[in-house]
Amino acid sequence: MQLTGSQILVECLKEQGVDTIFGYPGGAVLNIYDELYRHQDEIRHILTSHEQGASHAADGYARSTGKVGVCLATSGPGATNLVTGIATAYMDSVPMVAITGNVAVNLLGKDSFQEVDIAGITMPVTKHNFIVKDVAQLADTIRRAFLIAQTGRPGPVLVDIAKDVTGNKTEYTKVIPPMIERVKDTFSSEDLATGIQMIEEAKKPVIFIGGGAVISDAWEEVREFVKRVDAPVTDTLMGKGAFSGDDPYYTGMLGMHGTKTANFSVTECDLLITVGSRFSDRVTGNTARFAKNARILQIDIDAAEINKNILVNHAVIGDIKEVLKAFNDKLEEQKHGDWIAHVMDMKEKYPLKYHERGLTGPFILRKLYELTGGDAIITTEVGQHQMWSAQYFNYKKPRTFITSGGLGTMGYGLGACIGAKVANPDKTVINIAGDGCFRMNMNEIATATRYNIPIIQIIFNNHVLGMVRQWQSLFYGERYSYTTLNDCVDFVKVAEAMGAKAYRITKVEEAEEVLKEALRINIPVVIDCILESDDKVWPMVAPGAAIEEVFTEEDFKAK
């Protein structure tokens, strides 16, 4: 049948099972929006307050479900406003399709009104991108975009569509997308045999879990693998929930703000088994001294990650779920009783601690964990609150901790929170933000209230850019250059003005009642928590130091 480009786009989205789009209209996408109007009962469109919010919402939708998130924006500034969200998704391997409009084909390259080369701009931060100039190519391009976004190592794909393409007609035939099969032929029995030999020879192994284990839905295989190897477990920000934070074998996060137990275990181990992690600098510290006593076995879907940051002794390249299944089928259960006992002694000796005087971020997070039983999706912005959220809320399930790990995007969490709640309406979804981050995209509270999306926004309001101030305090002689937010913004009034229910917590005694009320009322809520300006994230590894040089507040004062 003959359809316009806009009709074809919507039909292709329906083919792919898309039920929600986050976006903002404009001239170059008017034909698309007109068609979405006709299909409101099939595809829900969430109008965000800013295109960046749309990209972060699509990201949160994708991370919390494993499905492809979709965002839509017009040409020029609409398209460029998506770039930070696209880059965020790219760094964390999130499946997303970003659709942008552009000027008509005959106006391309002529500095036309609201024209930018968005494909050129996003080339470094997309898995692939397309410019559609012929309506006959539109359907196949959309189908390819979704396939690329979710196969192999996932990532964002951009499809830029010229405006006249959305109005032109061509023949359309419905195509049912093929089932995406997991790739199983990227590793050999010899690869497995070498890995198994390394495991069997190890006396002090550690398993290090990254985001690849979450992306590949491999948490059941991870748990079985841990049992078979009999090894303590540490993780990255992106790997949280692939192995339960409540499990006795869990030692905490690794790296700059990792636990002493995790950092010391990796330093002492004789085999580090890395599952779906890219060895970020925030994890490794001084690479020359990282896991200095260990052989390293790396399991990853992307061959480009092997020997990129850390030289490894052996790698098995493939889908984490399939690789671990193969290991679990062949590996006999190992026993490392003395090593496990030693690591458990370290857990007892070096627990995470926070000040119990006054209201603190860790206190709020522990109280949230108590009240929810850990059954919540936590999204975050970036900074101290992000680290505390990783440390003090135990993630028992995957896809329940959603944060910008690679790019470190301030302003990410609120949009991601909205996307995650839209995708998971029956789950409690909470965004943890610092006051500096909340300012960046707090306009998305208006999105939550517009659609009555019952998210909970908690602000750790210390009136400073907390993480930068922490570095200035520790490494820059307490010269607080432009990190003090001593203005008159009242977040409670701002939230109420946008239609949300708002509370302020100033002391410990107020916290439980307010949090219980926020969890109960099922409407958009903002909670402004007033914290001390100089509370710090502990433990910490100084930049450039080895992870074994991790220090606590007590260690720092002792120096």
Side-chain angles (χ1 to χ4, degrees), residues 28 61 81 103 105 121 124-125 152-153 168 201 335 417 419 428-429 453 475 496 507-508 539:
Y61 180 100
N81 283 343
V103 298
V105 172
I121 290 169
V125 293
R153 182 177 182 170
N168 294 341
E201 290 173 354
K335 296 296 179 186
C417 186
T428 299
V429 186
I453 301 168
F475 309 120
E496 289 174 342
K507 52 189 177 182
V508 167

Side-chain angles (χ1 to χ4, degrees), residues 325-376:
K325 276 184 183 178
F327 269 118
N328 291 340
D329 285 343
K330 296 180 181 296
L331 180 64
E332 294 183 4
E333 286 195 20
Q334 308 295 300
K335 296 296 179 186
H336 302 107
D338 291 345
W339 170 237
I340 295 296
H342 171 63
V343 174
M344 294 305 108
D345 285 344
M346 284 198 288
K347 278 186 69 174
E348 187 77 19
K349 185 178 179 181
Y350 304 121
L352 285 171
K353 293 190 295 185
Y354 62 91
H355 289 295
E356 297 189 8
R357 47 151 182 78
L359 190 66
T360 66
F363 170 80
I364 294 289
L365 286 156
R366 292 309 298 168
K367 183 59 67 175
L368 265 179
Y369 184 76
E370 174 191 322
L371 295 175
T372 62
D375 187 18

